[in-house]
Amino acid sequence: MTTAIATLEPQTATTATLPAPLSNLAHNAELLQKIMNWDFSAEEQRFQKEFPHEDVAKASHDFRIFLYLTIADGVSYFIPSFPADHMWHVSLWFTHNWQAFSMECNNGVFFHHNPMSEALPEDEAREKLDAIQEACIRHFGSVIIEISDVVCCS
């Protein structure tokens, strides 16, 4: 398994809905709304072509929550599932939208994806998955994304 890291470096919204536990958010509701409503429709269509066996709505939702947690906490979280990671990869193909997203939602800082060359040891991988699970609980009151595998890091 190959893993990746995203890094944050200096450098239009419509359809998705906010998760139900929005009322549990202590802060960053505006950021969450921006991310959940960002127009990734072209990316979602391409994802569906590339990964027809995957649930595009679930992958996009989990990817957006991963982005929110990473940006809101300023922490390098591991993306928690292959479908969400695939959505990230497809989003990177649409460079203009990805740059616009980074500038608008990440305070003018480009959100990079840096592949890692090898898988983490099992105990370290579990710690990374626990960290994103704890972040979900802290922000939403429960785990609202699929957490199945250490795939990439922000």
Side-chain angles (χ1 to χ4, degrees):
M1 170 180 19
T2 301
T3 54
I5 299 175
T7 57
L8 310 176
E9 176 182 295
Q11 253 317 304
T12 26
T14 58
T15 58
T17 58
L18 292 169
L22 181 61
S23 61
N24 293 339
L25 289 176
H27 56 85
N28 293 317
E30 184 179 330
L31 172 63
L32 178 63
Q33 181 141 15
K34 262 191 219 179
I35 292 170
M36 297 307 289
N37 290 329
W38 193 265
D39 185 4
F40 284 121
S41 58
E43 293 86 337
E44 290 166 346
Q45 288 175 357
R46 182 63 183 264
F47 177 93
Q48 192 65 61
K49 277 181 141 175
E50 296 291 322
F51 306 99
H53 61 284
E54 297 289 354
D55 180 345
V56 66
K58 176 94 173 95
S60 183
H61 172 268
D62 290 0
F63 171 61
R64 291 167 190 266
I65 296 299
F66 160 76
L67 293 172
Y68 166 76
L69 294 171
T70 299
I71 294 167
D73 288 352
V75 172
S76 293
Y77 289 118
F78 276 73
I79 197 159
S81 70
F82 281 106
D85 186 47
H86 295 323
M87 187 67 202
W88 190 0
H89 292 191
V90 170
S91 296
L92 293 172
W93 299 343
F94 293 79
T95 58
H96 293 284
N97 194 38
W98 186 249
Q99 181 175 13
F101 168 82
S102 293
M103 297 303 118
E104 177 71 23
C105 295
N106 197 30
N107 300 315
V109 177
F110 193 83
F111 199 106
H112 285 282
H113 179 285
N114 297 311
M116 294 173 56
S117 60
E118 59 187 52
L120 295 173
E122 193 172 327
D123 59 332
E124 198 174 328
R126 183 74 256 157
E127 287 176 21
K128 300 295 184 185
L129 293 175
D130 289 348
I132 197 161
Q133 181 175 346
E134 290 165 10
C136 274
I137 293 167
R138 192 170 56 256
H139 284 271
F140 299 105
S142 65
V143 178
I144 62 169
I145 59 175
E146 175 186 345
I147 299 178
S148 61
D149 226 336
V150 171
V151 183
C152 293
C153 182
S154 61

